């Protein structure tokens, strides 16, 4: 899905045609805000936006599916904008110890994502249901813009206390956690978003702290991983040693970056 989002972002007009594109997005957002996902047809979106079939397909070749993916991307980009906005309001000069920095980062991320969910709850819920129903979304999907923004802030705010190679895993794990909280909120709409936002903050803090240098050893030992023998690929396959090595070499070359 990430690849599809990048493809659709490339089709999004910057100047000419921008009005028609936004009319489609706004019409779809209004419909997804008010009606169940599968009650909305492509004909409804075209009629409400006032554009032609050809115009819509110019920007959304797969029709309604691409419109839903574009709405999802728009909501995720709004999370990134909200996160950057919250970051800019903080008095970072007064936040020097890791605990204070961690609380500020966790609060900004939770407030951005859960806050946007609060403002657009029905729209986000309907888009999420549509993507899940039509198998257009997996849990591995993350917002690239917010991912980059969070990594930048982790390295900027912690400085050399946070190794650069640990920023990407910490950011992606943090996003999975906060997105998971948002999914729970949409699954249980009668619950308190305020309570879930507080929960997200508490869950994010140990993830961020775990990446700091000198914060303690790896939790526990892993004897199973340490003692397990190395895997023997296709050891029982009915081929000779030279043939087996040729197969493994071909697989290895296939897995190398191009």
């Amino acid at each position: 899905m990430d690849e599809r989002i990048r493809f659709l972002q490339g089709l999004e007009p910057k100047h000419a045609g921008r009005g028609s594109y936004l009319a489609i997005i706004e019409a779809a957002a209004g419909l997804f805000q008010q009606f169940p996902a599968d009650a909305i047809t492509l004909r409804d979106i075209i009629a409400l936006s006032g554009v032609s079939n050809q115009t819509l397909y110019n920007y959304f070749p797969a029709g309604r599916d691409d419109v839903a993916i574009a709405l999802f991307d728009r909501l995720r980009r709004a999370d990134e904008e909200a996160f950057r906005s919250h970051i800019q309001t903080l008095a970072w000069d007064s936040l020097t110890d890791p605990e204070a920095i961690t609380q500020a980062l966790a609060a900004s991320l939770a407030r951005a994502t859960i806050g946007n969910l609060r403002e657009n709850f029905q729209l986000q819920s309907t888009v999420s249901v549509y993507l899940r129903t039509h198998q257009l979304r997996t849990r591995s999907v993350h917002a690239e813009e917010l991912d980059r923004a969070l990594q930048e802030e982790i390295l900027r705010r912690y400085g050399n206390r946070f190794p650069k190679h640990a920023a990407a895993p910490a950011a992606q794990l943090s996003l999975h956690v906060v997105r998971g909280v948002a999914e729970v909120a949409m699954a249980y709409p009668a619950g308190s978003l305020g309570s879930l936002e507080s929960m997200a903050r508490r869950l994010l803090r140990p993830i961020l702290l775990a990446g700091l240098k000198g914060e303690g050893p790896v939790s526990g030992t892993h004897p199973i991983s340490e003692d397990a023998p190395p895997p023997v690929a296709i050891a029982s396959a009915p081929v000779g040693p030279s043939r087996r090595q040729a197969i493994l070499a071909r697989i290895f070359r296939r897995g190398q970056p191009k």
Side-chain angles (χ1 to χ4, degrees), residues 6-59:
R6 284 191 288 271
F7 173 76
L8 292 174
Q9 286 176 348
L11 295 180
E12 183 177 340
K14 306 304 178 187
H15 303 291
R18 184 71 178 167
S20 296
Y21 177 88
L22 292 177
I24 296 167
I25 288 293
E26 294 300 334
L31 291 169
F32 275 72
Q33 183 81 33
Q34 299 177 64
F35 302 101
D38 281 332
I40 302 164
T41 67
L42 193 60
R43 182 180 297 178
D44 296 329
I45 297 172
I46 291 171
L48 193 59
S49 62
V51 304
S52 67
N53 287 28
Q54 186 58 54
T55 297
L56 185 141
Y57 281 110
N58 285 341
Y59 304 130

Side-chain angles (χ1 to χ4, degrees), residues 109-147:
L109 181 58
R111 190 178 305 138
T113 52
I114 306 302
N116 275 353
L117 178 61
R118 181 182 289 110
E119 293 180 12
N120 301 284
F121 189 89
Q122 191 56 50
L123 174 59
Q124 293 208 39
S125 296
T126 307
V127 169
S128 180
V129 168
Y130 184 93
L131 296 179
R132 185 168 58 249
T133 301
H134 293 269
Q135 299 181 347
L136 296 172
R137 181 182 180 189
T138 67
R139 289 304 303 269
S140 64
V141 170
H142 65 277
E144 293 184 348
E145 292 86 356
L146 184 53
D147 188 355

Side-chain angles (χ1 to χ4, degrees), residues 32 85 93 248:
F32 275 72
S85 177
D93 291 342
L248 294 175

Side-chain angles (χ1 to χ4, degrees), residues 60-208:
F60 308 101
R64 188 177 60 164
D65 287 354
D66 277 353
V67 172
I69 292 172
L71 284 174
F72 174 83
D73 177 50
R74 191 188 197 203
L75 291 166
R76 298 291 73 81
R77 281 193 264 180
D79 289 347
E80 181 261 341
E81 292 171 2
F83 174 72
R84 290 191 184 277
S85 177
H86 290 314
I87 288 293
Q88 292 172 2
T89 65
L90 296 172
W92 287 104
D93 291 342
S94 64
L95 304 176
T96 56
D97 65 280
E99 286 285 351
I101 293 171
T102 300
Q103 289 187 21
L105 285 174
S108 296
L109 181 58
R111 190 178 305 138
T113 52
I114 306 302
N116 275 353
L117 178 61
R118 181 182 289 110
E119 293 180 12
N120 301 284
F121 189 89
Q122 191 56 50
L123 174 59
Q124 293 208 39
S125 296
T126 307
V127 169
S128 180
V129 168
Y130 184 93
L131 296 179
R132 185 168 58 249
T133 301
H134 293 269
Q135 299 181 347
L136 296 172
R137 181 182 180 189
T138 67
R139 289 304 303 269
S140 64
V141 170
H142 65 277
E144 293 184 348
E145 292 86 356
L146 184 53
D147 188 355
R148 284 193 296 269
L150 182 55
Q151 288 188 51
E152 290 170 6
E153 293 303 324
I154 286 173
L155 295 175
R156 179 181 294 119
R157 304 308 172 184
Y158 289 114
N160 58 14
R161 289 177 289 194
F162 209 104
K164 190 172 183 179
H165 68 270
Q172 291 196 22
L173 184 56
S174 297
L175 289 179
H176 275 291
V177 167
V178 79
R179 294 289 179 225
V181 172
E183 291 287 343
V184 169
M186 287 186 283
Y188 300 95
S192 167
L193 284 175
S195 298
L196 287 172
E197 182 181 330
S198 296
M199 184 184 299
R201 295 186 192 195
R202 291 195 297 271
L203 291 170
L204 291 169
R205 290 171 192 165
I207 295 172
L208 294 169

Side-chain angles (χ1 to χ4, degrees), residues 238-250:
V239 295
S242 60
R243 175 63 174 160
R244 183 163 60 246
Q245 286 305 115
I247 293 171
L248 294 175
R250 185 171 68 247

